[in-house]
Amino acid sequence: MNDQHWGPSISADIVVIGGGTAGIGFVASLLKRDPGLKITVIEPSTLHYYQPAWTLVGGGAYDAKDTARPMNKVMPRQATWIQAAVTGIDPDQRRLTLNDQRTVTYQNLIVCPGLRLAWEKIEGLQESLGQHGVTSNYSYQHAQYTWDQVQKLRGGKALFTQPPIPIKCAGAPQKALYLSCDHWLKRNVLSKVDVEFNLAGAALFGVSTFVPPLMKYIEKYNARLAFNSNLVKVDGPAKTAWFDVKDADGNVTRQAKTFDLLHVVPPQVSPDFIAQSPLADAAGWCEVNPHTLQHPRYPEVFALGDICGTTNAKTAAAVRKQVVVVAENLLALRKELALPLKYDGYGSCPLTVEKGKVILAEFGYGGKLLPTFPLDPTVPRRSAWWLKATLLPWFYWNGMLKGREWLTSLSKVD
């Protein structure tokens, strides 16, 4: 293809798509290993967010403004930052197209743009969000509105939703329910609130070990579970939500439910420039070897974070381990050595079952339990709340984004 058609071209060595948790964490770790590397980061946003705390914001336990920092404050100084968005990938030519018509060629590509929150897939949601009691902790702009609405509610119907997997932190939809119910219980109004959790899937949590302790809280809060119930439409002014409900025979019917509070988790998809590229798997995610995180057809490409077409939980804790795997494996590849590290699918979901207590669910591929601490992981603990609300945010800004690799023990490739 004629380069003039593509616009001005930038030639780069290691290119990282995305300046989120995976992108910044990876660049920091790579530069710790070799400060002389030439790394280019492509990221359009001016702000970087610590998203795991948004659930706490929605539960009245964290200040939203403490979850955002300017991108130029977290971007490693040695990296070159191109503030633009990728619109196309041609891995055969090792070339990216940007939204300003520039192109970037690379020697190695690290794909970590995250996933896209597809608010538009629920009819009427975008018009209603942030008013009429319709909210979401998956949005920086609306997590505080969740807490405002929870405090105002003294009775009525509260609906919480969870879309089809995969989503960021599959425990977050129910964390919103638990923290809201805990507040209502402590204010002696829970008995007047009809709480219902509508899940598109057929299980409360993907790792069965954690279902019994979570069910104790569902029962404690007198919440009803509506499985195979997927939110498809919202009318904020009418305080009505519609769900496609699948029965045991697979028949789907549309049911309308009224609400006073509606906490929505949007469907989540791969960005178009990945889904429509040769890097994508059949579901549109970036295809990788699940252990080395290298692309199977384009060995110079690695991916990490939420974009990966792997079965691990899409969490910041997963990224913490993936960063080390990709950094070590990339450096080995560039030296034409065998890839040394293997990712075991580790992910962590600190389930905030009440304000002050957390069930720390840590697991890998196949639901294998991978606890960091020698404690029963199914027991709600105050120490795990401290970890979630105090230690991990501090570690994120001062450790993970600075290339400090604590709690990242990994397996060597056999």
Side-chain angles (χ1 to χ4, degrees), residues 26 30 110 292-294 302-304 321-332 341:
F26 168 77
L30 199 59
I110 312 301
T292 63
L293 303 179
Q294 182 183 39
F302 290 82
L304 68 159
K321 300 280 183 115
Q322 291 173 354
V323 155
V324 184
V325 172
V326 176
E328 289 285 345
N329 287 352
L330 172 66
L331 292 177
L341 289 186

Side-chain angles (χ1 to χ4, degrees), residues 110-289:
I110 312 301
V111 181
C112 47
L115 50 69
R116 186 175 74 79
L117 301 177
W119 305 97
E120 78 285 353
K121 288 183 178 287
I122 298 172
E123 185 183 342
L125 175 58
Q126 288 170 299
E127 298 89 325
S128 299
L129 201 58
Q131 53 188 335
H132 313 299
V134 181
T135 189
S136 180
N137 289 346
Y138 275 70
S139 161
Y140 174 73
Q141 287 79 13
H142 300 109
Q144 181 60 44
Y145 182 67
T146 301
W147 178 232
D148 295 343
Q149 293 302 298
V150 167
Q151 293 176 94
K152 284 179 186 171
L153 196 68
R154 294 286 185 272
K157 184 74 174 282
L159 298 178
F160 295 82
T161 77
Q162 178 171 311
I165 305 293
I167 60 172
K168 292 177 198 250
C169 187
Q174 59 191 287
K175 294 182 204 180
L177 181 150
Y178 299 139
L179 289 178
S180 301
C181 287
D182 181 59
H183 175 79
W184 295 326
L185 183 63
K186 287 170 177 165
R187 294 295 180 275
N188 296 313
V189 297
L190 183 59
S191 60
K192 298 172 190 161
V193 182
D194 180 10
V195 180
E196 184 178 285
F197 188 21
N198 287 264
L199 305 96
L204 179 61
F205 195 68
V207 181
S208 59
T209 305
F210 297 101
V211 172
L214 293 173
M215 280 304 301
K216 287 181 183 175
Y217 277 92
I218 292 291
E219 290 157 10
K220 174 182 176 179
Y221 298 136
N222 200 28
R224 283 179 296 109
L225 298 177
F227 293 114
N228 300 306
S229 179
N230 187 34
L231 179 67
V232 292
K233 182 180 176 182
V234 176
D235 185 333
K239 299 268 192 178
T240 305
W242 285 265
F243 296 83
D244 278 353
V245 181
K246 190 190 299 180
D247 66 17
D249 297 321
N251 301 309
V252 176
T253 56
R254 186 157 294 187
Q255 297 180 13
K257 300 181 181 185
T258 58
F259 62 83
D260 296 283
L261 170 68
L262 174 64
H263 180 271
V264 179
V265 178
Q268 295 166 39
V269 299
S270 172
D272 287 348
F273 73 89
I274 296 293
Q276 296 165 7
S277 80
L279 298 180
D281 62 16
W285 303 95
C286 189
E287 188 174 357
V288 291
N289 177 299

Side-chain angles (χ1 to χ4, degrees), residues 50-69 140 143-144 147 179 355 385-397:
Y50 179 62
Q51 297 176 35
W54 291 351
T55 300
L56 298 176
V57 174
Y62 212 88
D63 192 328
K65 72 178 189 308
D66 291 336
T67 70
R69 294 193 183 177
Y140 174 73
Q144 181 60 44
W147 178 232
L179 289 178
K355 194 171 182 179
W385 174 272
W386 176 79
L387 184 77
K388 163 75 176 169
T390 304
L391 179 62
L392 288 178
W394 180 88
F395 166 67
Y396 182 81
W397 297 114

Side-chain angles (χ1 to χ4, degrees), residues 35 57 83 108 139 155 170 175 221 230 282 307 336 339 362 383 410:
V57 174
Q83 192 175 352
N108 292 105
S139 161
K175 294 182 204 180
Y221 298 136
N230 187 34
I307 192 59
E336 299 184 350
L339 307 190
E362 299 176 281
S383 57
L410 292 155

